[in-house]
Amino acid sequence: MRTGSQAAGVPPFHAMAMARRAAELEASGRRILHLEVGQPSTGAPAVACQAVARQLAAGDPLGYTNAPGHYGLRRALAARYGTLHGIDVSPDDVMVVGGASAGFTLAFLAAFDPGDRVGVLEPGYPCYRNVLLALGMVPVPIPVGADTRWAPTRELLDAAMGDPSTGTASLRGLVIASPSNPTGTVLDAASLATIAAWCAAHDVQLVADEIYHGITYNGPAPTVLAVTRDAVLINSFSKYWSMTGWRIGWMVVPQHLRDAIERLQQNVYICAPHIAQVAGLAALADEATVELDAHVRRYAANRRLLVDGLATAGITAIADADGAFYVYADVAHLTGAAGQVAGSTIGPAAGSMIGPAAGSTALCSRWLHELGVATTPGLDFDLARGEQFVRFSYAGTAATVTAACDLLLAWKP
């Protein structure tokens, strides 16, 4: 009996698995405080919903668009780079896709072959690694930490590059994110320039995730397009625009990959959802920006609540975050997982530790079942050190953050 393809063995996305377990408990009548998934508690901008209502009322059949997407939306997205960054982008370089997830699949298929080694930062968004695995590519972890402010350095990139003389193939690609998930790190222009120059010197295709652009707390995040036009840039309406379920995003594609990505879109997805493209175009209006920037101010207030609340509960070692809506916290004092590699055996329980072979996965499970507080274990983001960390999302309401912190303060391991 067949057991399925190699891709069928793709690892789980623990944040979504935790969300499923939380939803099951919620359906049974439990009160659950959701800090596990990076999903805004707000919906699409009002102007976007109104545009969709008008389109439906007009009887538009909303059939397929062409593969790159509605030209008006592509033109508006291209113009946005001129307005925000002073960069000239052609609408022809913009591909509208079914969310950033589709964008990554298209980018990886267009740029890499099965067996190619592609660098991914750890901690980092797990779906980069998991999609590469599903496509038969080889994700190469590049460990970053507080000592480099969670950013890659030339030395770290050199170490991951490989050495064909020893039988290790060179990297073919590198995936970065700014602001990042889970740490919220923003790469400044100098860091982006260093990374882009290193990629150019080593013939490495750079793929840049800018999905959290717009959600920053110390000024706008620079775009990779300011330092190179050879990178694949991926963005989405999910986070800043609060449109997660609409599944609408875009890519800015370098010339050498544009035709391949369009042909892949035609065959794999046909086009992004037409109704979501209508909403996306409307969401780019100045009228929406007023509403959306208010969300960012709420995230900033929620972050202060969460950081202060975690500190009161004894969780003080957190990544400095310039953007996104996460706190990535070291919880080794609760788990005993410091320095442990995922899958290894942690020593006997001591003091307030959770216990042998536990780590943050067990800690998050206990918090969910004992407190009704849903969080995400760091194993999602870092296979080597993740059991030492937990990610908390503060994309929801202030009331949720406050109530969760109160429960964590009162909790006894």
Side-chain angles (χ1 to χ4, degrees), residues 125-182:
Y125 182 55
C127 296
Y128 309 144
R129 176 182 67 239
N130 294 347
V131 171
L132 287 166
L133 285 170
L135 296 175
M137 296 147 196
V138 182
V140 178
I142 301 174
V144 296
D147 56 331
T148 65
R149 208 175 177 279
W150 309 95
T153 62
R154 285 184 182 274
E155 292 75 18
L156 289 170
L157 296 174
D158 286 341
M161 184 60 195
D163 184 354
S165 68
T166 64
T168 305
S170 299
L171 286 186
R172 290 295 308 276
L174 173 66
V175 185
I176 62 171
S178 178
S180 68
N181 173 11

Coordinates of all heavy atoms in Angstrom, one line a residue, residues 125-182:
Y125 N 10.4 32.1 10.1 CA 9.1 31.5 9.7 C 9.3 30.1 9.3 O 10.0 29.8 8.3 CB 8.5 32.4 8.7 CG 7.1 32.1 8.2 CD1 6.1 32.0 9.1 CD2 6.8 31.9 6.9 CE1 4.8 31.6 8.7 CE2 5.6 31.6 6.4 CZ 4.5 31.5 7.4 OH 3.3 31.2 6.9
P126 N 8.6 29.1 9.9 CA 8.8 27.7 9.6 C 8.4 27.3 8.2 O 8.9 26.3 7.6 CB 8.0 27.0 10.6 CG 6.9 28.0 11.0 CD 7.6 29.3 11.0
C127 N 7.5 28.0 7.6 CA 7.0 27.6 6.3 C 8.0 27.8 5.2 O 7.9 27.1 4.1 CB 5.6 28.2 5.9 SG 4.3 27.8 7.1
Y128 N 9.0 28.7 5.3 CA 10.1 28.7 4.3 C 10.7 27.3 4.3 O 10.9 26.7 3.2 CB 11.2 29.7 4.7 CG 10.7 31.1 5.0 CD1 11.4 31.8 6.0 CD2 9.7 31.7 4.4 CE1 11.1 33.1 6.4 CE2 9.4 33.0 4.7 CZ 10.1 33.7 5.7 OH 9.7 35.0 6.0
R129 N 11.1 26.8 5.4 CA 11.8 25.5 5.5 C 10.9 24.4 5.1 O 11.3 23.5 4.3 CB 12.2 25.3 7.0 CG 12.9 24.0 7.3 CD 13.2 23.8 8.8 NE 12.0 23.8 9.6 CZ 11.7 24.6 10.6 NH1 12.5 25.6 10.8 NH2 10.6 24.5 11.3
N130 N 9.6 24.4 5.5 CA 8.8 23.3 5.2 C 8.4 23.2 3.8 O 8.2 22.1 3.2 CB 7.5 23.4 6.1 CG 7.9 23.1 7.6 OD1 9.0 22.7 7.9 ND2 7.0 23.5 8.5
V131 N 8.1 24.4 3.1 CA 7.8 24.4 1.7 C 9.0 23.9 0.9 O 8.9 23.2 -0.1 CB 7.3 25.8 1.3 CG1 7.2 25.8 -0.3 CG2 6.0 26.1 1.9
L132 N 10.2 24.4 1.2 CA 11.4 23.9 0.5 C 11.5 22.4 0.6 O 11.8 21.7 -0.4 CB 12.6 24.6 1.1 CG 12.8 26.1 0.8 CD1 13.9 26.7 1.7 CD2 13.2 26.3 -0.7
L133 N 11.3 21.9 1.8 CA 11.3 20.4 2.0 C 10.3 19.7 1.1 O 10.6 18.7 0.4 CB 11.1 20.1 3.4 CG 12.2 20.3 4.4 CD1 11.8 20.1 5.8 CD2 13.4 19.4 4.1
A134 N 9.1 20.3 1.1 CA 8.0 19.7 0.3 C 8.3 19.7 -1.2 O 7.9 18.8 -2.0 CB 6.7 20.4 0.5
L135 N 9.1 20.6 -1.6 CA 9.5 20.8 -3.1 C 10.8 20.0 -3.4 O 11.2 20.1 -4.5 CB 9.6 22.2 -3.4 CG 8.3 23.1 -3.3 CD1 8.6 24.5 -3.6 CD2 7.3 22.5 -4.3
G136 N 11.3 19.3 -2.4 CA 12.5 18.5 -2.6 C 13.8 19.3 -2.6 O 14.9 18.8 -3.0
M137 N 13.7 20.5 -2.0 CA 14.9 21.3 -1.9 C 15.5 21.1 -0.4 O 14.9 20.5 0.4 CB 14.6 22.8 -2.2 CG 14.2 23.0 -3.6 SD 13.0 24.3 -3.8 CE 12.4 24.0 -5.5
V138 N 16.7 21.7 -0.2 CA 17.4 21.4 1.1 C 17.5 22.8 1.9 O 18.3 23.6 1.5 CB 18.7 20.8 0.9 CG1 19.4 20.6 2.2 CG2 18.6 19.6 0.0
P139 N 16.7 23.0 2.9 CA 16.8 24.2 3.7 C 18.1 24.1 4.6 O 18.3 23.1 5.2 CB 15.5 24.2 4.5 CG 15.1 22.8 4.6 CD 15.5 22.2 3.3
V140 N 18.9 25.1 4.5 CA 20.1 25.2 5.3 C 19.9 26.2 6.4 O 19.8 27.4 6.2 CB 21.3 25.5 4.4 CG1 22.6 25.6 5.3 CG2 21.4 24.6 3.3
P141 N 19.9 25.7 7.7 CA 19.7 26.7 8.8 C 20.9 27.6 9.0 O 22.0 27.1 9.0 CB 19.4 25.8 10.0 CG 20.1 24.5 9.6 CD 20.0 24.3 8.2
I142 N 20.6 28.9 9.2 CA 21.6 29.9 9.5 C 21.3 30.4 10.9 O 20.3 31.2 11.0 CB 21.7 30.9 8.4 CG1 22.0 30.3 7.0 CG2 22.7 32.0 8.8 CD1 22.0 31.3 5.9
P143 N 21.9 30.0 11.9 CA 21.5 30.4 13.3 C 21.9 31.9 13.6 O 23.0 32.3 13.4 CB 22.3 29.5 14.2 CG 23.5 29.1 13.4 CD 23.1 29.1 11.9
V144 N 20.9 32.7 13.9 CA 21.1 34.0 14.3 C 20.6 34.2 15.8 O 19.8 33.4 16.3 CB 20.4 35.1 13.4 CG1 20.9 35.0 12.0 CG2 18.9 34.8 13.4
G145 N 21.1 35.2 16.5 CA 20.8 35.3 17.9 C 20.9 36.8 18.3 O 21.2 37.7 17.5
A146 N 20.8 37.0 19.6 CA 20.8 38.3 20.2 C 22.2 39.0 19.9 O 22.3 40.2 19.9 CB 20.5 38.2 21.7
D147 N 23.3 38.1 19.8 CA 24.6 38.7 19.6 C 24.7 39.5 18.3 O 25.6 40.4 18.2 CB 25.7 37.6 19.7 CG 25.5 36.5 18.8 OD1 24.3 36.2 18.4 OD2 26.5 35.9 18.3
T148 N 23.9 39.1 17.3 CA 23.9 39.8 16.0 C 22.6 40.6 15.8 O 22.3 40.9 14.7 CB 24.1 38.9 14.8 OG1 23.0 37.9 14.7 CG2 25.4 38.1 15.0
R149 N 21.9 40.7 16.9 CA 20.6 41.3 16.9 C 19.6 40.6 15.9 O 18.9 41.2 15.2 CB 20.6 42.8 16.6 CG 19.4 43.6 17.2 CD 19.5 45.1 17.0 NE 18.3 45.7 17.6 CZ 17.1 45.7 16.9 NH1 17.0 45.2 15.7 NH2 16.1 46.3 17.5
W150 N 19.8 39.2 15.9 CA 18.9 38.3 15.1 C 19.0 38.6 13.6 O 18.1 38.3 12.9 CB 17.5 38.5 15.6 CG 17.3 38.4 17.1 CD1 17.2 39.4 18.0 CD2 17.2 37.2 17.9 NE1 17.1 38.9 19.3 CE2 17.1 37.5 19.2 CE3 17.2 35.8 17.5 CZ2 17.0 36.6 20.3 CZ3 17.1 34.9 18.6 CH2 17.0 35.3 19.9
A151 N 20.1 39.1 13.2 CA 20.4 39.4 11.8 C 21.5 38.6 11.3 O 22.5 38.3 12.0 CB 20.6 40.9 11.5
P152 N 21.5 38.2 10.0 CA 22.7 37.4 9.5 C 23.9 38.3 9.2 O 23.7 39.5 8.8 CB 22.1 36.9 8.1 CG 21.1 37.9 7.7 CD 20.5 38.4 9.0
T153 N 25.1 37.8 9.4 CA 26.3 38.5 9.1 C 27.0 37.8 8.0 O 26.7 36.7 7.6 CB 27.2 38.5 10.3 OG1 27.6 37.1 10.7 CG2 26.5 39.1 11.5
R154 N 28.0 38.5 7.4 CA 28.8 37.8 6.4 C 29.4 36.5 6.8 O 29.5 35.5 6.1 CB 29.9 38.8 5.9 CG 29.5 39.9 5.0 CD 30.7 40.7 4.6 NE 30.4 41.9 3.8 CZ 30.2 41.9 2.5 NH1 30.3 40.7 1.8 NH2 29.9 43.0 1.8
E155 N 29.9 36.5 8.1 CA 30.5 35.3 8.6 C 29.5 34.2 8.7 O 29.9 33.0 8.4 CB 31.1 35.6 10.0 CG 32.3 36.6 10.1 CD 31.9 38.0 9.8 OE1 30.7 38.4 10.0 OE2 32.7 38.8 9.5
L156 N 28.3 34.5 9.1 CA 27.3 33.4 9.2 C 26.9 32.9 7.8 O 26.7 31.7 7.6 CB 26.0 33.9 9.9 CG 26.2 34.1 11.4 CD1 24.9 34.9 12.0 CD2 26.3 32.8 12.2
L157 N 26.8 33.8 6.9 CA 26.5 33.4 5.5 C 27.6 32.6 4.9 O 27.4 31.6 4.2 CB 26.2 34.7 4.6 CG 25.0 35.5 5.0 CD1 24.9 36.8 4.2 CD2 23.7 34.7 4.9
D158 N 28.9 33.0 5.1 CA 30.0 32.3 4.6 C 30.0 30.8 5.2 O 30.3 29.9 4.5 CB 31.3 33.0 5.0 CG 31.6 34.2 4.2 OD1 31.0 34.4 3.1 OD2 32.4 35.1 4.7
A159 N 29.7 30.7 6.5 CA 29.7 29.4 7.1 C 28.6 28.5 6.5 O 28.8 27.3 6.5 CB 29.4 29.5 8.6
A160 N 27.5 29.1 6.0 CA 26.5 28.3 5.4 C 26.7 28.0 4.0 O 26.0 27.1 3.4 CB 25.1 29.0 5.6
M161 N 27.6 28.6 3.4 CA 27.8 28.6 1.9 C 28.1 27.2 1.4 O 27.6 26.8 0.3 CB 28.9 29.6 1.5 CG 29.1 29.7 0.0 SD 27.5 30.3 -0.8 CE 27.9 29.9 -2.5
G162 N 28.8 26.4 2.1 CA 29.2 25.1 1.6 C 30.5 25.2 0.9 O 31.0 26.2 0.5
D163 N 31.1 24.0 0.6 CA 32.4 23.9 0.0 C 32.3 22.7 -1.0 O 32.4 21.6 -0.5 CB 33.5 23.7 1.0 CG 34.9 23.7 0.4 OD1 35.0 23.7 -0.9 OD2 35.9 23.7 1.2
P164 N 32.2 23.0 -2.3 CA 32.1 21.9 -3.2 C 33.3 21.0 -3.2 O 33.2 19.8 -3.5 CB 32.0 22.6 -4.6 CG 31.4 23.9 -4.3 CD 32.0 24.3 -2.9
S165 N 34.5 21.5 -2.8 CA 35.6 20.6 -2.7 C 35.5 19.5 -1.7 O 36.2 18.5 -1.7 CB 36.9 21.4 -2.4 OG 36.9 22.0 -1.1
T166 N 34.6 19.7 -0.7 CA 34.4 18.7 0.3 C 33.1 17.9 0.1 O 32.7 17.2 1.0 CB 34.4 19.4 1.7 OG1 33.2 20.2 1.8 CG2 35.6 20.1 2.0
G167 N 32.5 18.1 -1.0 CA 31.3 17.4 -1.4 C 30.0 18.1 -0.9 O 28.9 17.6 -1.1
T168 N 30.1 19.3 -0.4 CA 29.0 20.1 0.0 C 28.7 21.1 -1.0 O 29.5 22.0 -1.3 CB 29.2 20.8 1.4 OG1 29.6 19.8 2.4 CG2 27.9 21.5 1.8
A169 N 27.5 21.0 -1.6 CA 27.1 22.0 -2.7 C 27.0 23.4 -2.1 O 26.6 23.6 -1.0 CB 25.8 21.5 -3.4
S170 N 27.2 24.4 -3.0 CA 27.1 25.8 -2.6 C 25.6 26.1 -2.4 O 24.7 25.4 -2.9 CB 27.7 26.7 -3.6 OG 29.0 26.5 -3.8
L171 N 25.3 27.1 -1.6 CA 24.0 27.7 -1.5 C 23.5 28.2 -2.9 O 24.3 28.8 -3.6 CB 23.9 28.8 -0.5 CG 23.9 28.5 1.0 CD1 23.7 29.8 1.7 CD2 22.9 27.5 1.4
R172 N 22.2 27.9 -3.2 CA 21.7 28.5 -4.4 C 20.7 29.6 -4.1 O 20.4 30.4 -5.0 CB 20.9 27.4 -5.2 CG 21.8 26.3 -5.8 CD 22.6 26.9 -6.9 NE 21.9 27.7 -7.9 CZ 21.2 27.1 -9.0 NH1 21.3 25.8 -9.1 NH2 20.6 27.9 -9.8
G173 N 20.3 29.7 -2.9 CA 19.3 30.7 -2.5 C 19.4 31.1 -1.0 O 20.0 30.4 -0.2
L174 N 18.8 32.2 -0.7 CA 18.8 32.7 0.7 C 17.4 33.4 0.9 O 17.0 34.2 0.1 CB 19.9 33.7 1.0 CG 19.9 34.4 2.3 CD1 20.1 33.4 3.5 CD2 20.9 35.5 2.4
V175 N 16.7 33.1 2.0 CA 15.5 33.7 2.3 C 15.7 34.5 3.6 O 16.2 34.1 4.6 CB 14.4 32.6 2.6 CG1 13.0 33.3 2.8 CG2 14.3 31.6 1.4
I176 N 15.3 35.8 3.5 CA 15.3 36.7 4.6 C 13.9 37.3 4.8 O 13.1 37.3 3.9 CB 16.4 37.8 4.4 CG1 16.0 38.7 3.2 CG2 17.8 37.2 4.3 CD1 16.9 40.0 3.1
A177 N 13.7 37.9 6.0 CA 12.5 38.6 6.3 C 12.8 39.8 7.1 O 13.6 39.8 8.0 CB 11.5 37.7 7.1
S178 N 12.1 40.9 6.8 CA 12.2 42.1 7.5 C 11.0 43.0 7.4 O 10.6 43.3 6.3 CB 13.4 42.9 7.0 OG 13.6 44.2 7.7
P179 N 10.3 43.2 8.5 CA 10.5 42.7 9.9 C 10.3 41.1 9.9 O 9.6 40.6 9.1 CB 9.4 43.3 10.7 CG 9.0 44.6 10.0 CD 9.2 44.2 8.5
S180 N 11.0 40.5 10.8 CA 11.0 39.0 10.8 C 9.9 38.5 11.7 O 9.4 39.2 12.6 CB 12.4 38.5 11.2 OG 12.6 38.8 12.6
N181 N 9.6 37.2 11.5 CA 8.8 36.4 12.4 C 9.6 35.3 12.8 O 10.1 34.5 11.9 CB 7.6 35.9 11.6 CG 6.7 35.0 12.3 OD1 6.8 34.8 13.5 ND2 5.8 34.3 11.6
P182 N 9.9 35.1 14.1 CA 9.2 35.6 15.3 C 9.8 36.8 16.0 O 9.2 37.2 17.0 CB 9.2 34.4 16.2 CG 10.6 33.8 16.0 CD 10.9 34.0 14.5

